[in-house]
Amino acid sequence: MTSSELSPSERFAASRARTRTPQLQGFRERLGFALDGFQIAACEVVEAGRSVLVAAPTGAGKTLVAEFAIHLAMQHPRDKVFYTAPMKALSNQKYQELVAEYGASEVGLLTGDTNVNSRARIVVMTTEVLRNMLYAGSDLLTDLRWVVLDEVHFLGDRFRGAVWEEVIIHLPLDVRMVSLSATVSNAEEFGDWLQTVRGDTDVIVSEERPVPLQQHVLVGSKYLDLFDSTGKAATNRVNPELVRAASLSSRPGSRNGRPGSGSHGYKPKRDSRPQSSGPQNFGRMDRWKIVELLDGKNLLPAIFFVFSRVGCDQAVRQVLRSGIRLTTAADRDEIREIVDEHCRTLRDEDLAVLGYYEWVEGLERGVAAHHAGLLPAFKEVVEELFQKKLVKVVFATETLALGINMPARSVVLEKLEKYNGESRVPITPGEYTQLTGRAGRRGIDIEGHSVIQWAQGFDPQAVAALASRRTYPLNSSFRPTYNMAVNLIERFGRSRTREVLETSFAQFQADRAVVDLARKVRSQQQSLDGYAKSMECHLGDFGEYMTLRQDIAELEKQGASRSEVQSRKERDSRQEKITALRRQLRQHVCHNCPEREQHARWAERWYKLKKQTDQLSAQIRSRTGAVAKVFDRVTDVLVDLGYLVPRGAEPSAGSADRIADSSRLSRVAEVDVAAPGKTLRRIYGDRDLLVAECLRRGSWNSLDAPQLAAMAATLVYEPRRDEGMLGDRYLPPGEFRTALDRTRTIWAELNDLEQAHRLPGTLQPSPGIALAMYHWARGASLDTVLDDAELAAGDFVRWTKQTIDLLDQLSVVADPPVGPVARKALDAVRRGIVAYTAV
């Protein structure tokens, strides 16, 4: 619509908007496409100089708000902006996009193992890097104007979520934040907390998918809509044909189990009954047939979510065996060109070990896998080829749903459950939303498609409910750590640190929960008063009489539950108590009340509700000041070990081996960071205190570079649950074994101390890949170390990069001989496929 076609009022409104938000108007004109309402609202907040939380579905265009904040910062000659992402892959991808927009001289990248142009005005980094900067007081923070927290809902991640809260709490208050989140059900609560700790913060929520999602179920070879699409039914009514299929499948002799057995529509169960041909073909289609089906319906490119790495690789092989080819000759030429560009640094002798030739064959036929076990270079190629529509089918684990820019026309869910490390569990509504959020490419597709494969126990109603719930709550996973404690105490002192930690989202949520619990306690107390009045007896104290009945019942219950293990003496003693109580019961004045049983019914209600109320009161006590209580315990441990000392006191020479009275610190108003604590300040990781204590006691002084690399790997590696303890023959030789024994001894001492202070402790160090890392640092070939580690190449690279990160810390904080040896170990480990970094 041209300006001449607008009404006078519309022209006035447009003119007013240009006056109020001139930067946004210029930004919109440069884009050349219309913005959605939530994008305009969020950008207006940013131009007004306020922080903003934007919660919107995957693919809705949240990052455009971040791009506008970067645009604003670049209008001023000194302003800087940091763009944080939860994963290195996302950081690399964002870095490339910003370099294309602003040029390499204006953009930097910091991801722990990569440092490119760190003094640029736009720096992309992982959230941990920014947290470390804040604690170190880095001069890179000078002139920082905006911080973008992409995927801020990672704050709920139980392993890494605390980092987001640390950043939010400790950023200078004059720095504005653009927080980008998936659609969470408590966005307003999170926004209230941001307002509390950061000041001016607006919350913009959108639940509209930019590309509508059509949801389907594949019943055998039959492709059915999940919801009724006749137009005659109410919204979100399940397709009657699916309901009939579920009913038929539950009959004796059908191929499927009873419907409704899974919490979210799917729970596999064994069924040894004869298979029925029935009116429906409920057998699952082969994957290659599904690919052909989608291709015939013009629904490629597609992502198949398979919740295991092995399953992804097997799926690719199955499809390739069928002879499918989804590419043209021109496509294959371009694919080979891109593969050569990304993989030219790989050594020829490593290609066969990495399965390179089979991988390339799949790419040239338009099929690939994507999971954490792949070499990073391979994953980057798959992502680029999929974005360019050269690869048409990707079999991926759910990690692909976490923000990487790989939208598809359709998404296939083979199952609605996954293994969580302990058991198979249904996927949550939030996970379902993240996975199906990949379907539908904005500006390309008019709609996206999700396809669920029918499985035993499939309940269409439950799946419809899962598909209709597009939100999930964001809950804090924040907890004080040793490194956090010494950094904050050094900066603020102990008392002020307790106050700072009370501002965490964890405590904010706990306090809100306390309000609700207290309200419930008050309500239940009124009911208790009513029950107490109803059980009043005119003859005497019925509560006293009821206590006798309760005591008798409890003793009888104990006797029944321990009948096989109790001695005769115990049984006789218990029976004597019961007999005595029964005598008191019969002699009590209320025993002869004609309304005794009526009073007793009210009393039973009173006792039951009183027990619930006491439990709620205990929850209130545990939640009030919960974060500060944990901080006090962490601080107690650090005082006992001499990392912190009472203000004005001298550190004790033997403090490292002393377990002091755990209540001692409660009498100390303030503490100071001692010399060992200053080392701990610069050690980041789950085993920060163990690393600091091993350095302090010289446990690794005798290690050479390969052995120290193996020790660092032992401290970062987290073994699979089914991986047992390794025998000595799987450990590096020489001094490593002695150093490992010393390290384990220190871990055991720390674990005992943590338990004494009611802290959960840390996992025992695991040397599962120590031998592989030792051989790698000594120059062994890739196939040798992968055999040693029994790991996929991608996993080995990932653990090695974490090893490099720890060695880098040791090279800075450790005194000789460990510091110089750590630098040698770094050079020895950072080679071959590990040295590959795409930026």
Side-chain angles (χ1 to χ4, degrees), residues 77 124 581:
V124 183
L581 287 170

Side-chain angles (χ1 to χ4, degrees), residues 146-162:
W146 289 94
V147 165
V148 177
L149 294 178
D150 200 356
E151 307 282 343
V152 74
H153 53 273
F154 261 76
L155 180 144
D157 183 84
R158 66 192 181 102
F159 298 110
R160 300 172 56 212

Side-chain angles (χ1 to χ4, degrees), residues 21-37:
T21 55
Q23 292 288 353
L24 176 56
Q25 299 311 310
F27 182 70
R28 292 173 69 176
E29 290 169 7
R30 192 185 73 179
L31 290 174
F33 58 82
L35 301 186
D36 291 340

Side-chain angles (χ1 to χ4, degrees), residues 413-577:
L413 301 180
E414 295 192 346
K415 296 180 180 179
L416 293 179
E417 60 157 23
K418 66 175 186 176
Y419 185 68
N420 67 354
E422 296 178 352
S423 61
R424 302 203 72 81
V425 296
I427 65 173
T428 65
E431 288 168 334
Y432 183 89
T433 301
Q434 285 282 90
L435 297 170
T436 57
R438 289 282 153 208
R441 298 163 298 177
R442 187 169 188 167
I444 301 174
D445 301 320
I446 58 172
E447 59 187 18
H449 296 263
S450 71
V451 181
I452 303 166
Q453 271 198 282
W454 183 284
Q456 291 177 333
F458 190 96
D459 179 0
Q461 299 287 357
V463 176
L466 176 68
S468 300
R469 292 176 59 198
R470 299 189 180 279
T471 57
Y472 55 97
L474 178 61
N475 294 312
S476 173
S477 61
F478 183 83
R479 63 177 181 84
T481 65
Y482 298 110
N483 170 274
M484 183 193 304
V486 292
N487 271 292
L488 294 181
I489 288 172
E490 175 86 354
R491 188 173 172 188
F492 299 119
R494 175 171 173 255
S495 299
R496 173 67 181 134
T497 295
R498 290 181 97 257
E499 295 174 9
V500 168
L501 294 179
E502 290 285 9
T503 67
S504 68
F505 188 44
Q507 192 59 53
F508 185 83
Q509 287 190 309
D511 290 342
R512 286 201 165 189
V514 164
V515 171
D516 293 335
L517 290 172
R519 187 183 299 115
K520 192 170 183 179
V521 166
R522 286 196 298 272
S523 173
Q524 292 187 179
Q525 189 60 54
Q526 293 176 357
S527 298
L528 284 170
D529 294 341
Y531 293 164
K533 190 167 183 63
S534 297
M535 74 180 190
E536 285 179 0
C537 179
H538 67 286
L539 296 177
D541 185 348
F542 199 86
E544 185 180 75
Y545 177 78
M546 199 62 193
T547 299
L548 292 171
R549 287 177 61 152
Q550 293 281 340
D551 289 346
I552 292 169
E554 181 61 30
L555 285 169
E556 289 176 337
K557 183 179 176 182
Q558 291 176 9
S561 65
R562 299 181 58 194
S563 58
E564 296 181 3
V565 295
Q566 60 191 333
S567 66
R568 179 166 184 166
K569 182 178 180 181
E570 288 176 320
R571 288 199 303 271
D572 290 346
S573 173
R574 184 175 294 104
Q575 191 56 49
E576 287 177 10
K577 291 178 182 177

Side-chain angles (χ1 to χ4, degrees), residues 283-303:
R284 290 168 69 86
M285 287 182 74
D286 290 336
R287 287 170 172 134
W288 66 270
K289 289 184 178 179
I290 300 175
V291 171
E292 284 191 337
L293 175 72
L294 297 177
D295 193 22
K297 291 181 176 291
N298 196 27
L299 294 180
L300 297 182
I303 298 171

Side-chain angles (χ1 to χ4, degrees), residues 84-93 111 124-128 150-151 154 160 164 379 399-404:
T84 75
M87 294 182 293
K88 293 177 182 178
L90 288 176
S91 298
N92 287 338
Q93 192 173 75
T111 60
V124 183
M125 62 187 67
T126 54
T127 318
E128 281 84 355
D150 200 356
E151 307 282 343
F154 261 76
R160 300 172 56 212
W164 274 258
K379 283 196 292 186
T399 54
L400 181 58
L402 300 177
I404 297 173

Side-chain angles (χ1 to χ4, degrees), residues 117-402:
N117 199 16
S118 62
R119 296 195 173 274
R121 293 182 57 202
I122 308 167
V123 184
V124 183
M125 62 187 67
T126 54
T127 318
E128 281 84 355
V129 169
L130 177 54
R131 185 272 311 271
N132 298 352
M133 274 189 195
L134 291 168
Y135 283 160
S138 170
D139 63 349
L140 296 178
L141 297 167
T142 304
D143 296 322
L144 181 61
R145 174 62 175 161
W146 289 94
V147 165
V148 177
L149 294 178
D150 200 356
E151 307 282 343
V152 74
H153 53 273
F154 261 76
L155 180 144
D157 183 84
R158 66 192 181 102
F159 298 110
R160 300 172 56 212
V163 176
W164 274 258
E165 287 192 52
E166 292 176 74
V167 166
I168 292 168
I169 291 171
H170 300 306
L171 265 178
L173 288 177
D174 61 341
V175 176
R176 291 305 184 206
M177 293 193 331
V178 175
S179 304
L180 308 177
S181 170
T183 308
V184 293
S185 53
N186 59 336
E188 287 75 13
E189 178 189 42
F190 185 48
D192 288 347
W193 174 66
L194 291 173
Q195 174 74 30
T196 301
V197 296
R198 303 292 313 168
D200 296 339
T201 303
D202 289 18
V203 179
I204 308 294
V205 177
S206 172
E207 297 186 16
E208 292 292 322
R209 279 182 53 98
V211 180
L213 180 67
Q214 301 298 320
Q215 306 192 69
H216 315 279
V217 179
L218 196 57
V219 184
S221 59
K222 201 167 186 179
Y223 184 82
L224 301 176
D225 292 336
L226 174 59
F227 297 108
D228 191 336
S229 58
T230 62
K232 300 176 183 178
T235 305
N236 286 358
R237 177 191 171 196
V238 176
N239 186 345
E241 194 170 352
L242 278 178
V243 176
R244 285 195 297 273
S247 175
L248 288 168
S249 73
S250 65
R251 294 179 181 177
S254 71
R255 293 191 177 188
N256 289 276
R258 174 176 54 84
S261 58
S263 302
H264 291 307
Y266 176 71
K267 185 175 180 180
K269 54 177 66 180
R270 298 188 181 276
D271 190 348
S272 59
R273 294 175 297 189
Q275 302 299 305
S276 166
S277 57
Q280 289 87 9
N281 175 15
F282 286 166
R284 290 168 69 86
M285 287 182 74
D286 290 336
R287 287 170 172 134
W288 66 270
K289 289 184 178 179
I290 300 175
V291 171
E292 284 191 337
L293 175 72
L294 297 177
D295 193 22
K297 291 181 176 291
N298 196 27
L299 294 180
L300 297 182
I303 298 171
F304 285 65
F305 282 109
V306 182
F307 297 120
S308 84
R309 302 177 189 181
V310 173
C312 291
D313 295 333
Q314 288 175 344
V316 171
R317 288 193 289 270
Q318 289 168 9
V319 172
L320 294 182
R321 279 199 301 269
S322 73
I324 277 182
R325 186 178 296 279
L326 303 170
T327 56
T328 65
D331 290 339
R332 292 191 287 277
D333 289 341
E334 190 174 353
I335 288 168
R336 281 190 288 269
E337 206 173 291
I338 292 171
V339 170
D340 290 343
E341 179 186 343
H342 281 265
C343 299
R344 63 179 181 273
T345 59
L346 298 178
R347 300 192 305 179
D348 290 343
E349 57 266 34
D350 291 341
L351 297 181
V353 179
L354 296 169
Y356 173 84
Y357 302 104
E358 297 84 353
W359 173 68
V360 171
E361 181 193 357
L363 296 178
E364 290 185 357
R365 288 165 61 179
V367 182
H370 188 289
H371 55 71
L374 283 179
L375 194 68
F378 287 11
K379 283 196 292 186
E380 291 157 10
V381 169
V382 172
E383 290 161 16
E384 182 174 340
L385 294 178
F386 194 78
Q387 290 165 17
K388 292 184 174 181
K389 295 182 280 188
L390 295 169
V391 163
K392 309 296 173 51
V393 174
V394 169
F395 294 93
T397 55
E398 70 270 29
T399 54
L400 181 58
L402 300 177

